[in-house]
Amino acid sequence: HWAARNGYKEIFALLLEQEDADVDVADRYGKTALYLAASRGHTDIVKLLLAKGVVDSPDIDGKTALYLAASKGRTEIVELLLKKEDIDVDVVDIYGKTALHWAAENGHKKIVELLLAQGAKVNLRNSSYGETALKLAASRGHTDIVKLLLKKEDIDVDVVDIYGKTALHWAAENGHKKIVELLLEKGAIDAVDAQGRTALQLAALWGHTEVVALLLEKGAVDKA
């Protein structure tokens, strides 16, 4: 664990040579050597572990090595982990978040692309706020990731979170005009959230003039 965490490749390789070395042993928090190496971005150590048939088991919070690598933008490590036949791309943590949720939220386009190619589910809502990967990318202004997600045939652009808000609500509220445009082109509805507000009203509230103009051009109306 210490060698993996700190990236001491030679020491780690030496330990792996021992006949009784258990590559899957976890600490009190459920973290394995693979988890620690992936989290810190130590690609060479991840390769050594994968060659030994290591298991990508979750920690006590439900986070796996894939999850950590995806959330932190460790693209090469994600690619390596996705080659494992038993890898589960849709493992959720205690908040119901998957690797796709985190990659989309943090703007890691290449990793989102890899996860989608591996069959990651695009409409999963996390258990904390009911957010999808699309909502997270739209609210943060990650236009390229929104484009990737919208290419999926089964994407549902009108999924609502616990506040009754859709990706369109969040993109409009945060002034992401291009994303609003993409969502509208995909058929997003300017629905009413749990407080009775539309994307148009939220854009107006926060002073996003260009977004308001776009929504009005596309036929949005004040439903208040």
Side-chain angles (χ1 to χ4, degrees), residues 18-174:
Q18 308 310 304
E19 291 184 5
D20 58 345
D22 184 351
V23 294
D24 294 315
V25 68
D27 65 14
R28 63 184 293 186
Y29 304 106
K31 297 177 181 180
T32 63
L34 179 64
Y35 180 106
L36 295 168
S39 175
R40 296 295 182 94
H42 302 312
T43 306
D44 288 339
I45 291 179
V46 170
K47 287 179 179 177
L48 290 172
L49 285 164
L50 291 175
K52 285 286 187 178
V54 69
V55 176
D56 187 12
S57 55
D59 70 358
I60 59 173
D61 291 325
K63 299 175 183 178
T64 61
L66 176 64
Y67 183 108
L68 265 292
S71 68
K72 296 188 176 184
R74 319 282 193 201
T75 305
E76 188 176 356
I77 291 176
V78 170
E79 288 178 312
L80 289 169
L81 291 169
L82 289 178
K83 291 177 182 177
K84 283 178 59 62
E85 293 182 0
D86 60 345
I87 200 73
D88 184 352
V89 295
D90 293 317
V91 169
V92 297
D93 66 7
I94 57 174
Y95 304 107
K97 276 190 170 182
T98 65
L100 182 62
H101 280 116
W102 279 108
E105 182 173 8
N106 292 332
H108 304 310
K109 178 186 174 183
K110 180 60 179 177
I111 293 175
V112 169
E113 194 171 12
L114 291 168
L115 292 168
L116 291 176
Q118 195 74 14
K121 296 176 181 176
V122 292
N123 295 319
L124 287 179
R125 300 167 71 240
N126 63 35
S127 53
S128 51
Y129 295 102
E131 301 161 309
T132 62
L134 179 63
K135 178 269 166 177
L136 291 167
S139 65
R140 295 293 183 96
H142 301 312
T143 306
D144 288 344
I145 292 177
V146 170
K147 287 179 180 178
L148 281 175
L149 293 168
L150 292 179
K151 288 179 182 178
K152 300 297 292 182
E153 292 183 4
D154 59 338
I155 190 76
D156 184 348
V157 295
D158 294 317
V159 174
V160 298
D161 61 16
I162 61 170
Y163 304 108
K165 289 183 177 180
T166 64
L168 183 63
H169 280 110
W170 285 105
E173 180 173 343
N174 292 319

Side-chain angles (χ1 to χ4, degrees), residues 143 147 175-183 185 211 214:
T143 306
K147 287 179 180 178
H176 304 310
K177 179 185 175 183
K178 182 59 180 177
I179 293 176
V180 169
E181 187 174 13
L182 290 168
L183 291 167
E185 288 174 356
V211 175
L214 174 62

